[in-house]
């Protein structure tokens, strides 16, 4: 609790006695403790008492080699490809719906936010049924995994760009049009540069969500395109919890590095 700025004495209170801000910090503290336990378990050779024993790096060696390393590479590729596609599609949809009548805007907003409200397993099953026959046969290929991740992260791009467009001063567009700029030139030279911070803000959550996605992926992934969360699930299912913890730690570290890189790119772009 002290790590998140709360009085340790709050541990004696019931959850309904905490304010909204305190509850959020308690949840954060719980998440930090859980992550710390996972990291420690990755170093453990055994854990039969209150503390782990036989600490070492053997599990991390396994996590960074062979099938586990290949799964990490797949996760990174999937996250960045799906994130890029989601940014393009989300930006296009937000720009298109901006000029549309109110009913169409509300419909578009509902469609792009629907994957958040639907269980990811249902999304995966729906894609598996939809793309498991000709003319668009994606089942058994990497692309069905990328499509699944794109659908799941699309809402972040769409909502970020939509919110940015609502805050955008129309005077910039009007000034460019009054100077004779074509619609394409206004889009590429005025609108999109002004949307760069929003795109950067959407890229981080999109990549992070894709890196950790499991529900839809486990429904559609082929043996040749297995993400690291699927591998972690398989390890834990076989009772190899320490190997799973090491792989999870690697996944967490990789995600943090990706978010840091995206944050720096966003800062430079702004």
């Amino acid at each position: 609790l002290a790590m998140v700025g709360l009085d340790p004495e709050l541990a004696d209170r019931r959850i309904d006695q905490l304010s909204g801000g305190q509850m959020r910090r308690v949840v954060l503290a719980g998440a930090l403790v859980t992550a710390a336990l996972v990291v420690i378990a990755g170093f453990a050779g055994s854990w039969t008492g209150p503390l782990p024993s036989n600490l070492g790096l053997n599990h991390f060696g396994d996590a960074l080699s062979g099938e586990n390393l290949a799964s990490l590479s797949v996760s990174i590729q999937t996250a960045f490809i799906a994130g890029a596609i989601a940014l393009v599609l989300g930006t296009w949809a937000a720009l298109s719906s901006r000029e549309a009548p109110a009913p169409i805007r509300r419909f578009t907003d509902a469609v792009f936010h629907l994957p958040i409200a639907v269980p990811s397993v249902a999304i995966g099953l729906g894609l598996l049924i939809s793309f498991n026959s000709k003319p668009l046969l994606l089942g058994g290929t990497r692309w069905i995994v990328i499509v699944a991740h794109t659908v799941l992260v699309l809402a972040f791009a769409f909502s970020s760009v939509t919110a940015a467009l609502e805050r955008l001063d129309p005077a910039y567009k009007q000034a460019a049009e009054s100077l004779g700029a074509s619609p394409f030139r206004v889009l590429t030279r005025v609108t999109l540069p002004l949307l760069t911070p929003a795109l950067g803000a959407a890229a981080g959550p999109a990549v992070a969500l894709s890196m950790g996605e499991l529900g839809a992926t486990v429904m559609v992934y082929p043996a040749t395109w297995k993400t690291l969360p699927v591998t972690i699930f398989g390890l834990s299912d076989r009772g190899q919890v320490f190997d799973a913890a090491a792989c999870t730690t690697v996944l967490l570290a990789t995600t943090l590095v990706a978010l840091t890189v995206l944050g720096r790119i966003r800062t430079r772009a702004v």
Side-chain angles (χ1 to χ4, degrees):
L1 292 178
M3 290 178 60
V4 294
L6 291 177
D7 189 341
E9 294 182 0
L10 292 177
D12 298 328
R13 294 188 183 181
R14 299 195 309 270
I15 191 69
D16 60 345
Q17 294 177 324
L18 300 176
S19 66
Q22 290 173 335
M23 290 178 64
R24 287 192 293 270
R25 292 189 182 188
V26 168
V27 171
L28 176 59
L32 290 174
V33 170
T34 301
L37 289 175
V38 170
V39 173
I40 294 171
F43 290 96
S46 61
W47 200 332
T48 56
L51 295 175
S53 57
N54 301 323
L55 301 180
L57 297 174
N58 294 336
H59 298 303
F60 286 97
D62 294 336
L64 294 172
S65 62
E67 180 183 344
N68 297 332
L69 182 60
S71 294
L72 176 61
S73 175
V74 168
S75 287
I76 294 172
Q77 293 177 64
T78 301
F80 278 92
I81 294 174
I85 296 173
L87 286 177
V88 172
L89 294 179
T91 302
W92 169 77
L95 290 169
S96 300
S97 64
R98 184 188 187 191
E99 306 297 336
I104 296 180
R105 288 202 304 270
R106 289 193 293 268
F107 176 76
T108 304
D109 186 77
V111 168
F112 276 82
H113 286 94
L114 185 61
I116 298 178
V118 176
S120 59
V121 172
I123 298 292
L125 182 59
L127 291 173
L128 188 62
I129 295 172
S130 301
F131 298 112
N132 206 34
S133 60
K134 295 181 178 180
L136 195 55
L137 179 60
L138 298 181
T141 71
R142 70 185 66 181
W143 293 109
I144 194 168
V145 178
I146 293 172
V147 169
H149 284 232
T150 301
V151 170
L152 290 170
V153 304
L154 196 53
F156 291 100
F158 177 76
S159 58
S160 294
V161 176
T162 299
L165 285 172
E166 292 176 354
R167 298 190 301 266
L168 198 62
D169 190 346
Y172 292 107
K173 180 181 178 181
Q174 293 168 1
E177 291 175 340
S178 67
L179 294 173
S182 65
F184 180 78
R185 192 173 183 84
V186 172
L187 175 65
T188 56
R189 295 297 183 91
V190 178
T191 305
L192 289 180
L194 291 174
L195 292 177
T196 299
L199 294 174
V207 169
L209 178 62
S210 178
M211 289 288 289
E213 208 292 314
L214 175 63
T217 309
V218 80
M219 297 294 295
V220 301
Y221 81 95
T224 55
W225 197 258
K226 183 162 60 172
T227 62
L228 191 53
V230 175
T231 298
I232 292 169
F233 175 78
L235 289 171
S236 61
D237 191 51
R238 295 192 297 269
Q240 299 172 268
V241 291
F242 298 129
D243 286 327
C247 288
T248 303
T249 302
V250 171
L251 180 64
L252 288 171
T254 304
T255 304
L256 289 175
V257 170
L259 291 176
T260 301
V261 171
L262 290 173
R264 290 187 176 180
I265 294 175
R266 176 190 175 191
T267 302
R268 291 181 179 179
V270 175

